[in-house]
Amino acid sequence: MSAIATNRKATFENLMQPWSVGIDVITGVMDKPDRTLVRRASDMKGYYRDHAALQKLIAAGDPVHYEVFEKELPEEYGHLLLCISKLYPGTVGDECFMTKGHYHTVAGTGEVYLCLRGEGYMIMKTEDGRTNEQKFAPSRMVYVPPFWAHRSVNTGDEPLISFCVYPADAGHNYGDIEKQGFPQKITRRDGRVEMR
Ligand code: F6R
Ligand code: ZN
């Protein structure tokens, strides 16, 4: 049976009720999320280039770098996962706070981000060495096509809050990122943002 036919059968046997959820676009918090992913400085070992600066930050209180609020949904073909990502402002050395970044396990799946607050970039790369960057600003959407690893970077003074939606069976693949990172490095020193 094809995936679509299987999905249709499942739909009528076990129909999910439509639902809605509120979000606060200022605080970047979802009402009653089913899951909250919290990544602190200590979860980011190996991701920033200045290891000593990261250690210092961990020793000084291990601040939260980002939180992701999600609703529980079946991680299967047909559903769409949605989340609110709240990436705090700050730097490690001079490198702006960022998410780990990942490919999707089902590599041929894309993702849509809508920036609600803050400023920054979505930096992207492919396994064969292509790179791309898109600006995050309030009311700006970023499309991450299939096969692009993606990482959010906060270049501003306030939380970078975005809404994202992607196929529920996409999965996360941190692949070469923990070892190689992304070719793009975004720094901020004395308020001046640079991408190298
Ligand atoms: C899902 C997605 C986001 C991220 C979140 C955390 O495909 O892109 O929900 O999972 O921003 O980022 P990572 O997983 O890179 O720590
Ligand atoms: Zn993703």
Side-chain angles (χ1 to χ4, degrees):
M1 203 186 293
S2 75
I4 292 172
T6 306
N7 182 252
R8 177 161 295 143
K9 189 163 176 282
T11 298
F12 289 105
E13 279 172 8
N14 191 11
L15 196 68
M16 179 183 283
Q17 285 296 109
W19 51 269
S20 60
V21 63
I23 52 170
D24 184 326
V25 297
I26 303 301
T27 60
V29 173
M30 180 187 277
D31 292 345
K32 300 194 181 86
D34 295 319
R35 277 198 304 247
T36 304
L37 168 75
V38 180
R39 291 217 210 275
R40 296 180 171 276
S42 53
D43 298 309
M44 300 298 289
K45 285 180 188 158
Y47 284 89
Y48 291 98
R49 303 198 190 181
D50 188 338
H51 303 292
L54 185 66
Q55 272 311 124
K56 234 169 127 179
L57 209 56
I58 295 169
D62 197 14
V64 173
H65 276 214
Y66 56 102
E67 292 165 293
V68 182
F69 304 97
E70 296 172 315
K71 293 305 265 184
E72 190 83 49
L73 281 162
E75 294 185 6
E76 60 191 37
Y77 175 85
H79 282 283
L80 298 169
L81 288 184
L82 48 91
C83 66
I84 294 290
S85 165
K86 179 177 188 179
L87 173 59
Y88 287 86
T91 54
V92 176
D94 59 5
E95 195 171 9
C96 295
F97 276 16
M98 61 197 189
T99 61
K100 288 186 173 183
H102 58 269
Y103 297 93
H104 289 163
T105 310
V106 180
T109 54
E111 185 160 352
V112 172
Y113 277 74
L114 170 63
C115 179
L116 303 172
R117 179 186 169 196
E119 57 186 284
Y121 287 92
M122 176 66 87
I123 61 174
M124 291 167 273
K125 69 167 187 173
T126 60
E127 273 175 5
D128 67 355
R130 292 172 228 210
T131 60
N132 191 282
E133 306 83 35
Q134 298 296 322
K135 185 99 186 92
F136 271 137
S139 303
R140 193 165 182 83
M141 275 200 313
V142 173
Y143 182 57
V144 179
F147 301 104
W148 287 85
H150 40 289
R151 164 183 281 171
S152 305
V153 182
N154 186 345
T155 57
D157 292 317
E158 56 181 9
L160 175 64
I161 296 168
S162 44
F163 165 72
C164 45
V165 58
Y166 57 103
D169 56 351
H172 292 68
N173 168 16
Y174 295 90
D176 57 18
I177 295 166
E178 193 173 6
K179 289 199 179 86
Q180 294 167 20
F182 282 64
Q184 306 97 321
K185 182 185 178 189
I186 303 187
T187 57
R188 185 177 156 161
R189 194 177 290 146
D190 302 326
R192 217 178 68 241
V193 174
E194 280 179 12
M195 184 172 327
R196 281 173 277 147

